[in-house]
Amino acid sequence: MAAEEQKAEREERLAAIMAAQGFVPLGYSSSAESTTYYVWSKYLSVVKSFTDASLARKTVFYGVFGQEFCDEILGKEIVIQRGDEQRGIPEIRERRFDLDLGQRAVTAQCAQAGRWSPESSVRGAGVWNDDQQGGLIVNCSDGLHLIKNDGGAERIERIRGRFIYESTARGAWSDNIATEADVMALIATVGDSWQWRRESDGALFAGWLLAQAYTGALRHRPGVTISGESGCGKSYLEEWSKKLLGKWGLRIEETRGTLLAGVSQLIKHDSLTLFLDEVEPKSGASAEEAARANKNISDILQMLRSAYSRSDDTGSYSAVKGTAHQEATGREVRVMAMIASIAEHDFEQADQNCNLRLGLRRFEVGADGKTARRPPAMPDAGAGADLFRLMWSRWGAFSAMLESVFAVIKHREKRMRLTLAVPVAALLTGLGIAVEAPAAQKLIAQINDDYSAADEDAPRDQDRALQRLLAAVIDVGGTKRAIADVMGEAIDAGAGRVGRGAGGAAGDALKLNGLTVRLNSDGSIALFVAARHPGVEALGRQVGIAGLTGILSTVEGAEKAGAKRGGADTRVRIFSQNWSGVWVPTGVSVTDAEAGDVIRLVHSRDD
């Protein structure tokens, strides 16, 4: 009987160990050089990988699987004390981890599971769609929760369907559900505590904050930019918003010095909100420093662009990267971001409609030197989690509301209608009012009025590229000068004339950078930009635009220059070499007095 009891106790002990420790084989990836094996660690509740090096270390197995699992399940009995009957010393046996057995267990079971990549199957902290039963899955520091379609919640296992939800220290859960009065208080605080540029800006920002409750589950994730002069409260708004979101937000204070690789490693597989500050090169930065800052910012904005939309096609990915094993892996990047800057950020055309571009003004200062309004107190701890809990319980209502709002937004661009519809739908869902309600109709009418023609005059990418190039600085005799200023000086010094030194120091400085100028008959200046010139490529890096010559060739009125088969050779001579490229109308002109002399010189040369 004692033996049976011991056997039962051991079986119970082993079952407990298997439930809390050990691993689930996921698969492997391989190359000609090495193979990586992936397992789900039940001991740590994360995905771990084994390489050739880690398979040789017992300490790695203990750390990933748990000591009891390694000793009891992957162990063998060894004698740690030999018995001696004559002396009354009993033999003592103990199970110790067998490294060879552990290696075989990992490699064989992962090989049997087949090829696998964590990028397409692992989800970190965030709020995600439940692909099995609908509703939302919330992965936070308090565990994994399922929000049902009726608003109820329950804890679930971390392996669910084709996805694995890693344990995380990010994200907050609340059993308290905020009320509609709390939503109204949020709207009032945001709207009244800052001086918004447009009447609808405050409401849109409050709605955007509420929409962060759905970040990973949204099909479209609009960003928001807040611009305004120093002292208008941008930094405090960012700090206040981050405090409200708590563990659901990440703040990067020095964006211009942050590399995309660092951001990717920071967010991993999480779906969170990023707060990005300092997105402009420092005042007085050198051309090289500005180029580096612009490159960093451009890379991060590109990532945010890829994160905007979620495709239902399982073969589509937000981003694709290579691995050390020579394999391409797809990754779903699902984040939303708030960007704060003094000047309104100069978005590329593709990014313009993915972001709410909101503005702040300074409050008027009275005779006593004080403003009429004071900044709000920081949100109470847990306030954001309570608001999120309310929004999660209304996911079904939000989805229906989003379609209704999208139908009544009147912006000419579909993507901008989606961008505007997300915060408006979140706002109305939080307030519990229908889109037909008078208050909702008033807000939508104001947004339609504010945004109906807001982007009609937005410069195209090619025009923006020209503006950036004209503002770029080059070295002229040891002095940094803007290209737009140098052009007129080169014309005044005879650029366009035949002869060595025509254009003076300014003309030579332009040529060193792959540029030259001519004066048109109407007194306007055209700028030649050489194709594949190292100076032009360096300027492209400075202004954050790759393929500068190509995009400038689409400027209205641009003339391509090059060698044509059977036709004229229109290439432009820069120093001793002929270059293909493009003549771009700059819109810059010289004074009438200066133009008259130069035009006569050009005409006499042609004659």
Side-chain angles (χ1 to χ4, degrees), residues 40-52:
W40 169 255
S41 168
K42 294 194 288 185
Y43 182 57
L44 301 174
S45 294
V46 295
V47 173
K48 301 294 288 187
S49 61
F50 285 87
T51 62
D52 293 335

Side-chain angles (χ1 to χ4, degrees), residues 221-460:
R221 286 172 288 278
V224 62
T225 65
I226 306 292
S227 60
E229 62 184 312
S230 297
C232 66
K234 298 186 304 297
S235 295
Y236 193 81
L237 175 63
E238 190 175 45
E239 186 180 355
W240 186 90
S241 302
K242 170 62 179 72
K243 182 74 172 180
L244 178 72
L245 267 57
K247 291 183 178 181
W248 291 110
L250 295 171
R251 188 180 184 192
I252 300 175
E253 297 182 10
E254 182 67 24
T255 306
R256 59 192 169 209
T258 300
L259 298 178
L260 176 59
V263 178
S264 297
Q265 292 168 12
L266 180 67
I267 62 176
K268 297 180 181 177
H269 299 103
D270 297 341
S271 179
L272 301 167
T273 304
L274 300 180
F275 294 90
L276 308 177
D277 207 355
E278 302 292 349
V279 294
E280 300 149 316
K282 291 181 180 179
S283 177
S286 67
E288 293 76 13
E289 290 172 332
R292 283 195 297 270
N294 285 330
K295 176 66 166 59
N296 293 342
I297 295 165
S298 178
D299 289 346
I300 293 172
L301 290 178
Q302 175 64 45
M303 180 202 72
L304 296 177
R305 182 194 302 176
S306 72
Y308 177 83
S309 297
R310 176 178 68 87
S311 174
D312 289 327
D313 181 1
T314 56
S316 297
Y317 303 98
S318 294
V320 178
K321 67 177 184 178
T323 70
H325 307 295
Q326 308 300 312
E327 293 184 343
T329 60
R331 179 187 176 203
E332 274 294 328
V333 183
R334 298 190 184 185
V335 296
M336 294 169 76
M338 171 184 171
I339 298 172
S341 60
I342 293 176
E344 184 171 347
H345 196 78
D346 188 19
F347 280 114
E348 302 295 338
Q349 195 167 355
D351 295 320
Q352 290 175 10
N353 295 328
C354 298
N355 292 275
L356 300 165
R357 299 190 296 281
L358 313 179
L360 292 175
R361 297 193 187 97
R362 280 186 177 184
F363 280 118
E364 301 239 350
V365 179
D368 58 356
K370 298 180 180 180
T371 59
R373 304 182 198 180
R374 303 183 65 181
M378 285 293 172
D380 294 334
D386 294 350
L387 286 167
F388 272 28
R389 187 68 179 81
L390 171 69
M391 300 303 293
W392 295 336
S393 69
R394 297 183 176 183
W395 167 245
F398 168 81
S399 300
M401 179 69 74
L402 188 60
E403 293 185 14
S404 300
V405 173
F406 175 75
V408 294
I409 296 291
K410 301 300 183 184
H411 197 277
R412 61 188 176 88
E413 295 286 348
K414 178 182 178 181
R415 180 165 286 190
M416 193 65 206
R417 293 201 298 274
L418 290 166
T419 294
L420 292 166
V422 168
V424 174
L427 200 69
L428 299 183
T429 300
L431 290 171
I433 63 176
V435 71
E436 298 83 10
Q441 289 292 306
K442 181 180 179 181
L443 172 62
I444 292 168
Q446 183 63 55
I447 290 171
N448 284 333
D449 185 52
D450 287 344
Y451 283 85
S452 59
D455 296 326
E456 294 293 337
D457 299 325
R460 301 178 303 163

Side-chain angles (χ1 to χ4, degrees), residues 20-138:
Q21 299 183 32
F23 72 101
V24 176
L26 300 175
Y28 70 95
S29 64
S30 63
S31 68
E33 293 79 21
S34 63
T35 301
T36 301
Y37 301 94
Y38 299 97
V39 301
W40 169 255
S41 168
K42 294 194 288 185
Y43 182 57
L44 301 174
S45 294
V46 295
V47 173
K48 301 294 288 187
S49 61
F50 285 87
T51 62
D52 293 335
S54 59
L55 281 169
R57 297 199 299 269
K58 285 187 175 183
T59 53
V60 173
F61 280 87
Y62 280 123
V64 174
F65 297 159
Q67 183 172 350
E68 290 180 301
F69 180 88
C70 289
D71 289 341
E72 294 290 341
I73 310 300
L74 298 178
K76 64 181 180 181
E77 283 195 348
I78 63 172
V79 176
I80 62 174
Q81 178 179 288
R82 293 190 177 277
D84 188 331
E85 292 184 5
Q86 293 181 351
R87 300 172 60 185
I89 300 175
E91 181 180 84
I92 299 177
R93 291 175 171 266
E94 191 172 285
R95 292 187 69 84
R96 296 282 179 87
F97 175 51
D98 184 347
L99 180 60
D100 183 59
L101 177 59
Q103 291 171 340
R104 293 200 309 271
V106 170
T107 57
Q109 292 184 48
C110 286
Q112 187 176 7
R115 290 186 175 272
W116 190 83
S117 167
E119 303 295 345
S120 57
S121 303
V122 176
R123 288 176 169 179
V127 179
W128 313 88
N129 277 310
D130 178 31
D131 294 337
Q132 290 184 321
Q133 301 176 7
L136 296 174
I137 291 178
V138 180

Side-chain angles (χ1 to χ4, degrees), residues 482-495:
I483 290 175
D485 296 332
V486 176
M487 292 191 310
E489 187 175 315
I491 290 289
D492 192 37

